[in-house]
Amino acid sequence: MKLWLFATLTLALLVGASCFIGVAEVFGADLDGQMVMLVSRLPRTFAALLAGGGLALAGAVVQMSVQNRLVEPSLVGTPESAMLGLIVITVLAPGAALMVKMSVAAGAAMLGTLGFLWLARHVPRKDPVLLPLVGLIYGGIIGAAVLWIAWTTDLVQYIGVWQSGEFSGVLQGRYELLWLVACVGALIWLAADRITMLGLGEDAARSLGLDYRQTLLAGLVLVSVIVAVVVVSVGSIPFVGLVVPNIVSRWRGDNLRRNLPLVAWLGAVMVLGCDIIGRVIRFPYEIPAGTVFAVLGAGIFLWLLYAAPRRAHG
Amino acid sequence: MIEIENLTVSRSGAEILKDVSVKFGAGGITALIGPNGAGKSTLLNAIAGLIKPEHGRVTVGGCDMISARPPERASHVALLAQNEHVTARLTVRELVSFGRWTHHHGRPQERDLRMIEEALEAFDLGPLAERRLDALSGGQRQRSFVAMAWAQETPWMLLDEPLSALDPRHVRGIMDRLHELTRPGQGQRSIVIVLHDLSVTARYADRIVAMKDGRLVTSGPRLLTMTGGMLSDLFGTGLAIETVAGRDVVVPS
């Protein structure tokens, strides 16, 4: 009960801070405060919460699916694949609707992640660090293809936008796609037991009566949609899906039915917190939330690797 | 009754099971013995319906395990595979309750909760129920997994080397418990278990299924089938059965 109170309070506090921190004064005379709030601050706040919560959930699903604690979507090539889809559709049909672009990105993310799952079957599981390394290289190769296409078609500036998660451009009417993340999050929560069972290993899950392939595939679709939506609307934010589920797992274990709300909450408040830090640290200029999180996330990741006992496989 | 007819299983071109036909009667403990690489684990997986064979048939209690849907499979057979690692950090109680998942799909009823408590009690896990699996010793973890398989409440339990990493006291604890479970009476289970300790086999098994190089060597009641000569042939090293203090033990000859 206390936990929920604490969670609600921090969320409220950060949302409040986010609504009133920024270059334009909400209570200033020169701009209509109400308009600033509705058009920019609230959408920006929601975008950060949705992207953060969604990526954290995606990370939890990926970790259970490949049975490795040290991976997340951006360490299995998912955002890079989404970008590949995006750049291809941008070249082929520059005027396509956002929904079309997002669908293509989600489809590409799905194929790319499937490719990684196939690769993962052949990676020895003895050393848990090996899998994220393979994923890093795999994502790097796809990323290189994206860069090459962008370079030859003069679209390199798009890549910067997709790669660095950033909320200063979020305006009413340009972020609503992110609410899809909330729907996907609800679906993930419905499948929480099944996803936990993926983390018991294929043999155990199947003998408990789980349709393993179907569950794996469904998880993959949900993760791909989240990542594609985030990449399309605010840009990829690495480390959220890695760090957040690991913190929650150390703290409260992996019973996802119980812990997924916490995972989503922690991802949401951490990303919003990073966005707020990014707004004030060089005021009146801004630092992208993704960059702030990457610095924080790298620190926590190193701590997880070295300071905490190595239990990537439990 | 488990019936296996002409079962052939291949993986990456190599035949792991070659034309195996065997029947397991209900009740009692059936020990699956044989040297490493004999195909024992593969046979268990095939019985549980987790492997698609080249050809052959597997039925458990009349249910064709090869074509059965996952929930139907899981209502006939609980398989405890050899698990090296588990990513999910669960408490013992959470793990055991997943044994009931096929019954409640996330909404445990009174009966499910009762079975979970019974499983914890049956395998002496009461004091450990709220501990996380990664904070347990190998033996305690193994008992938790056996309890999960038991909680699944299937007529058949297939256990793949559940005694590895257990000290003698826990081996005895688990085997005594499994022995009780297979006696006639309410809630009687039938167990197929892969064993490497032949003295444990001699003490607890009602029936023997011996395998080597993917083929069935022999099967039958332990008292008739398990002889020093058979074991020596099976493992390719001299073995004899001696009686010490009224119990059969297997020793090198």
Coordinates of all heavy atoms in Angstrom, one line a residue, chain A residues 241-295:
Chain A
G241 N 15.1 0.0 -21.3 CA 14.6 -1.4 -21.3 C 15.6 -2.3 -20.6 O 15.2 -3.4 -20.2
L242 N 16.8 -1.9 -20.5 CA 17.8 -2.7 -19.8 C 17.8 -2.4 -18.3 O 17.8 -3.3 -17.5 CB 19.2 -2.4 -20.4 CG 20.4 -3.1 -19.8 CD1 20.3 -4.6 -20.2 CD2 21.7 -2.5 -20.3
V243 N 17.9 -1.2 -18.0 CA 18.1 -0.8 -16.6 C 16.9 -1.0 -15.7 O 17.0 -1.6 -14.7 CB 18.6 0.7 -16.6 CG1 18.6 1.3 -15.1 CG2 20.0 0.9 -17.2
V244 N 15.8 -0.5 -16.2 CA 14.6 -0.5 -15.4 C 14.1 -1.9 -14.9 O 14.0 -2.2 -13.7 CB 13.4 0.3 -16.1 CG1 12.1 0.1 -15.3 CG2 13.8 1.7 -16.2
P245 N 14.0 -2.9 -15.9 CA 13.6 -4.2 -15.4 C 14.6 -4.9 -14.5 O 14.2 -5.6 -13.6 CB 13.5 -5.0 -16.7 CG 13.3 -4.0 -17.8 CD 14.1 -2.8 -17.4
N246 N 15.9 -4.5 -14.7 CA 16.9 -5.1 -13.8 C 16.7 -4.6 -12.4 O 16.9 -5.3 -11.4 CB 18.3 -4.8 -14.3 CG 18.7 -6.0 -15.2 OD1 18.9 -7.1 -14.8 ND2 18.9 -5.7 -16.5
I247 N 16.5 -3.3 -12.3 CA 16.3 -2.7 -10.9 C 15.1 -3.3 -10.2 O 15.2 -3.8 -9.1 CB 16.1 -1.1 -11.0 CG1 17.4 -0.5 -11.5 CG2 15.7 -0.6 -9.6 CD1 17.2 1.0 -11.8
V248 N 14.0 -3.4 -11.0 CA 12.8 -4.0 -10.4 C 13.0 -5.4 -10.0 O 12.5 -5.9 -9.0 CB 11.6 -3.8 -11.3 CG1 10.3 -4.5 -10.8 CG2 11.3 -2.3 -11.5
S249 N 13.7 -6.2 -10.9 CA 13.9 -7.6 -10.6 C 14.7 -7.8 -9.4 O 14.5 -8.7 -8.6 CB 14.6 -8.2 -11.8 OG 15.2 -9.4 -11.5
R250 N 15.8 -7.0 -9.2 CA 16.6 -7.1 -8.0 C 15.8 -6.8 -6.7 O 16.0 -7.3 -5.7 CB 17.8 -6.1 -8.1 CG 19.0 -6.8 -8.5 CD 20.1 -5.9 -8.9 NE 20.8 -6.5 -10.0 CZ 21.5 -7.6 -9.8 NH1 21.6 -8.1 -8.6 NH2 22.1 -8.2 -10.8
W251 N 14.9 -5.8 -6.9 CA 14.2 -5.3 -5.8 C 13.0 -6.2 -5.4 O 12.8 -6.6 -4.2 CB 13.7 -3.9 -6.2 CG 12.8 -3.2 -5.3 CD1 12.6 -3.3 -3.9 CD2 11.8 -2.2 -5.7 NE1 11.7 -2.5 -3.4 CE2 11.2 -1.8 -4.5 CE3 11.5 -1.6 -6.9 CZ2 10.2 -0.8 -4.5 CZ3 10.5 -0.6 -6.9 CH2 9.9 -0.2 -5.7
R252 N 12.2 -6.7 -6.4 CA 11.0 -7.4 -6.1 C 10.8 -8.7 -6.9 O 9.8 -9.3 -6.9 CB 9.8 -6.5 -6.5 CG 9.9 -5.1 -5.9 CD 8.8 -4.9 -4.9 NE 7.5 -5.1 -5.4 CZ 6.4 -5.1 -4.6 NH1 6.6 -4.9 -3.3 NH2 5.2 -5.3 -5.1
G253 N 11.9 -9.2 -7.6 CA 11.8 -10.4 -8.3 C 11.1 -10.3 -9.6 O 10.9 -9.2 -10.1
D254 N 10.7 -11.4 -10.2 CA 10.3 -11.4 -11.6 C 8.9 -11.9 -11.8 O 8.5 -12.3 -12.9 CB 11.2 -12.3 -12.5 CG 12.5 -11.5 -12.8 OD1 12.4 -10.3 -13.0 OD2 13.5 -12.2 -12.9
N255 N 8.1 -11.9 -10.8 CA 6.7 -12.3 -11.0 C 6.0 -11.1 -11.7 O 5.5 -10.2 -11.1 CB 6.0 -12.5 -9.6 CG 4.6 -13.0 -9.8 OD1 4.1 -13.1 -10.9 ND2 4.0 -13.4 -8.7
L256 N 6.0 -11.2 -13.0 CA 5.6 -10.0 -13.8 C 4.1 -9.6 -13.6 O 3.8 -8.4 -13.7 CB 5.8 -10.3 -15.3 CG 7.2 -10.4 -15.7 CD1 7.3 -10.6 -17.2 CD2 8.1 -9.3 -15.3
R257 N 3.3 -10.6 -13.2 CA 1.9 -10.2 -12.9 C 1.9 -9.1 -11.8 O 1.1 -8.2 -11.8 CB 1.1 -11.5 -12.4 CG -0.2 -11.2 -11.8 CD -1.3 -11.0 -12.7 NE -1.5 -12.0 -13.7 CZ -2.1 -11.9 -14.9 NH1 -2.4 -10.7 -15.3 NH2 -2.2 -12.9 -15.7
R258 N 2.8 -9.3 -10.9 CA 2.8 -8.4 -9.7 C 3.7 -7.1 -10.1 O 3.4 -6.0 -9.6 CB 3.4 -9.1 -8.6 CG 3.0 -8.6 -7.2 CD 3.5 -9.5 -6.1 NE 5.0 -9.7 -6.2 CZ 5.8 -9.5 -5.2 NH1 5.3 -9.2 -4.0 NH2 7.1 -9.7 -5.3
N259 N 4.7 -7.3 -10.9 CA 5.7 -6.3 -11.0 C 5.7 -5.4 -12.3 O 6.3 -4.4 -12.3 CB 7.1 -6.9 -10.9 CG 7.4 -7.4 -9.5 OD1 6.7 -7.1 -8.6 ND2 8.4 -8.2 -9.4
L260 N 4.9 -5.9 -13.3 CA 4.9 -5.1 -14.5 C 4.4 -3.6 -14.3 O 5.0 -2.7 -14.8 CB 4.0 -5.7 -15.6 CG 4.7 -6.8 -16.4 CD1 3.8 -7.3 -17.5 CD2 6.0 -6.3 -17.0
P261 N 3.4 -3.4 -13.4 CA 3.1 -2.0 -13.2 C 4.2 -1.2 -12.6 O 4.4 0.0 -13.0 CB 1.9 -2.1 -12.1 CG 1.4 -3.4 -12.3 CD 2.5 -4.3 -12.7
L262 N 5.1 -1.8 -11.8 CA 6.2 -1.1 -11.2 C 7.3 -0.9 -12.3 O 7.9 0.2 -12.3 CB 6.9 -2.0 -10.2 CG 6.4 -1.9 -8.7 CD1 7.2 -2.8 -7.9 CD2 6.7 -0.4 -8.3
V263 N 7.4 -1.8 -13.2 CA 8.4 -1.6 -14.3 C 8.0 -0.4 -15.1 O 8.8 0.5 -15.4 CB 8.5 -2.9 -15.2 CG1 9.3 -2.7 -16.4 CG2 9.1 -4.1 -14.4
A264 N 6.7 -0.4 -15.5 CA 6.2 0.7 -16.3 C 6.3 2.0 -15.5 O 6.7 3.0 -16.1 CB 4.7 0.5 -16.6
W265 N 6.0 2.0 -14.3 CA 6.1 3.2 -13.5 C 7.5 3.8 -13.4 O 7.8 4.9 -13.7 CB 5.5 3.0 -12.1 CG 5.9 4.0 -11.1 CD1 5.3 5.2 -10.9 CD2 7.0 4.0 -10.1 NE1 6.0 5.9 -9.9 CE2 7.0 5.2 -9.4 CE3 7.9 3.0 -9.8 CZ2 7.9 5.5 -8.4 CZ3 8.9 3.3 -8.8 CH2 8.8 4.5 -8.1
L266 N 8.4 2.8 -13.1 CA 9.8 3.3 -12.9 C 10.4 3.8 -14.3 O 11.1 4.8 -14.3 CB 10.7 2.1 -12.4 CG 12.1 2.5 -12.0 CD1 12.1 3.5 -10.8 CD2 12.9 1.3 -11.5
G267 N 10.0 3.1 -15.4 CA 10.5 3.6 -16.7 C 9.9 5.0 -17.0 O 10.7 5.9 -17.4
A268 N 8.7 5.1 -16.7 CA 8.0 6.4 -16.9 C 8.6 7.5 -16.1 O 9.0 8.6 -16.7 CB 6.5 6.3 -16.6
V269 N 8.8 7.4 -14.8 CA 9.3 8.5 -14.0 C 10.8 8.7 -14.3 O 11.2 9.9 -14.2 CB 9.1 8.2 -12.5 CG1 7.6 8.2 -12.1 CG2 9.8 7.0 -11.9
M270 N 11.5 7.7 -14.6 CA 13.0 7.9 -14.9 C 13.1 8.7 -16.2 O 14.0 9.6 -16.2 CB 13.7 6.6 -15.0 CG 14.1 6.0 -13.6 SD 15.0 4.5 -13.7 CE 16.7 5.1 -13.9
V271 N 12.4 8.4 -17.2 CA 12.5 9.1 -18.4 C 12.0 10.5 -18.3 O 12.6 11.5 -18.8 CB 11.8 8.3 -19.6 CG1 11.7 9.2 -20.8 CG2 12.5 7.1 -19.9
L272 N 10.9 10.7 -17.6 CA 10.4 12.0 -17.4 C 11.4 12.8 -16.5 O 11.7 14.0 -16.8 CB 9.0 12.0 -16.7 CG 8.4 13.4 -16.4 CD1 8.2 14.1 -17.8 CD2 7.0 13.2 -15.7
G273 N 11.9 12.2 -15.5 CA 13.0 12.8 -14.7 C 14.1 13.3 -15.5 O 14.6 14.4 -15.4
C274 N 14.6 12.4 -16.4 CA 15.7 12.8 -17.3 C 15.4 13.9 -18.2 O 16.2 14.8 -18.5 CB 16.1 11.5 -18.1 SG 17.0 10.3 -17.2
D275 N 14.1 13.9 -18.7 CA 13.7 15.0 -19.6 C 13.7 16.3 -18.8 O 14.2 17.4 -19.3 CB 12.3 14.8 -20.1 CG 11.9 15.8 -21.1 OD1 12.7 16.2 -21.9 OD2 10.7 16.2 -21.1
I276 N 13.3 16.3 -17.5 CA 13.3 17.5 -16.7 C 14.7 18.0 -16.5 O 15.1 19.2 -16.6 CB 12.5 17.3 -15.4 CG1 11.1 17.0 -15.7 CG2 12.7 18.5 -14.5 CD1 10.3 16.6 -14.5
I277 N 15.6 17.0 -16.1 CA 17.0 17.4 -15.9 C 17.6 18.0 -17.2 O 18.3 19.0 -17.1 CB 17.8 16.1 -15.5 CG1 17.4 15.6 -14.2 CG2 19.3 16.4 -15.5 CD1 18.0 14.2 -13.8
G278 N 17.3 17.4 -18.3 CA 17.7 17.9 -19.6 C 17.3 19.3 -19.9 O 17.9 20.1 -20.6
R279 N 16.1 19.7 -19.3 CA 15.6 21.0 -19.5 C 16.3 22.1 -18.7 O 16.4 23.2 -19.1 CB 14.1 21.1 -19.2 CG 13.2 20.5 -20.3 CD 11.7 20.7 -19.9 NE 11.1 19.4 -19.8 CZ 9.9 19.2 -19.3 NH1 9.2 20.2 -18.9 NH2 9.3 18.0 -19.3
V280 N 16.7 21.7 -17.5 CA 17.2 22.7 -16.5 C 18.7 22.8 -16.5 O 19.3 23.8 -16.1 CB 16.7 22.4 -15.1 CG1 15.2 22.6 -15.0 CG2 17.2 21.1 -14.6
I281 N 19.4 21.7 -17.0 CA 20.8 21.7 -16.7 C 21.6 22.7 -17.5 O 22.6 23.3 -17.0 CB 21.4 20.2 -17.0 CG1 22.6 19.9 -16.2 CG2 21.6 20.0 -18.5 CD1 22.9 18.4 -16.2
R282 N 21.1 23.1 -18.7 CA 21.8 24.2 -19.4 C 20.8 25.3 -19.8 O 20.8 25.8 -20.9 CB 22.4 23.6 -20.7 CG 23.7 22.9 -20.6 CD 24.1 22.4 -22.0 NE 24.5 23.6 -22.8 CZ 24.3 23.6 -24.2 NH1 23.7 22.6 -24.8 NH2 24.7 24.6 -24.9
F283 N 19.9 25.5 -18.9 CA 18.8 26.5 -19.1 C 19.4 27.7 -19.8 O 20.4 28.3 -19.3 CB 18.1 26.8 -17.8 CG 16.8 27.4 -18.0 CD1 15.7 26.7 -18.3 CD2 16.7 28.8 -17.9 CE1 14.4 27.3 -18.4 CE2 15.5 29.4 -18.1 CZ 14.4 28.7 -18.4
P284 N 18.8 28.3 -20.8 CA 17.6 28.0 -21.4 C 17.7 26.9 -22.6 O 16.8 26.7 -23.3 CB 17.1 29.3 -22.0 CG 18.4 30.0 -22.3 CD 19.4 29.5 -21.3
Y285 N 18.9 26.3 -22.8 CA 19.0 25.3 -23.8 C 18.6 24.0 -23.2 O 18.5 23.8 -22.0 CB 20.5 25.3 -24.3 CG 20.9 26.6 -24.8 CD1 21.8 27.4 -24.0 CD2 20.5 27.1 -26.0 CE1 22.2 28.6 -24.5 CE2 20.9 28.4 -26.5 CZ 21.7 29.1 -25.7 OH 22.1 30.4 -26.1
E286 N 18.5 23.0 -24.1 CA 18.0 21.7 -23.7 C 19.0 20.6 -24.1 O 19.6 20.6 -25.1 CB 16.6 21.3 -24.2 CG 15.6 22.2 -23.6 CD 14.2 21.6 -23.8 OE1 14.1 20.5 -24.2 OE2 13.2 22.3 -23.4
I287 N 19.1 19.6 -23.2 CA 19.8 18.3 -23.6 C 18.8 17.2 -23.8 O 17.9 17.1 -22.9 CB 20.8 18.0 -22.5 CG1 21.9 19.1 -22.3 CG2 21.5 16.6 -22.7 CD1 22.8 18.9 -21.1
P288 N 18.9 16.4 -24.8 CA 17.9 15.4 -25.1 C 17.8 14.4 -23.9 O 18.8 14.0 -23.3 CB 18.4 14.6 -26.3 CG 19.3 15.6 -27.0 CD 19.9 16.5 -25.9
A289 N 16.6 14.0 -23.5 CA 16.3 13.1 -22.4 C 17.1 11.8 -22.7 O 17.7 11.2 -21.7 CB 14.9 12.8 -22.3
G290 N 17.2 11.3 -23.9 CA 17.9 10.1 -24.3 C 19.4 10.2 -23.9 O 20.0 9.2 -23.4
T291 N 20.0 11.4 -24.1 CA 21.4 11.6 -23.7 C 21.5 11.5 -22.2 O 22.4 10.9 -21.7 CB 21.9 12.9 -24.2 OG1 21.5 13.0 -25.6 CG2 23.4 13.1 -24.1
V292 N 20.7 12.2 -21.5 CA 20.7 12.2 -20.0 C 20.6 10.8 -19.5 O 21.3 10.3 -18.7 CB 19.6 13.1 -19.4 CG1 19.7 13.0 -17.9 CG2 19.8 14.5 -19.9
F293 N 19.6 10.1 -20.1 CA 19.4 8.7 -19.6 C 20.6 7.8 -20.0 O 20.9 6.9 -19.2 CB 18.1 8.1 -20.2 CG 17.6 6.9 -19.4 CD1 16.6 7.0 -18.5 CD2 18.2 5.6 -19.6 CE1 16.2 5.9 -17.7 CE2 17.8 4.5 -18.9 CZ 16.8 4.7 -17.9
A294 N 21.2 8.0 -21.1 CA 22.3 7.2 -21.5 C 23.4 7.3 -20.5 O 24.1 6.3 -20.1 CB 22.8 7.6 -22.9
V295 N 23.7 8.6 -20.0 CA 24.7 8.8 -19.0 C 24.4 8.1 -17.7 O 25.1 7.3 -17.2 CB 24.9 10.3 -18.8 CG1 25.9 10.5 -17.6 CG2 25.4 11.0 -20.0

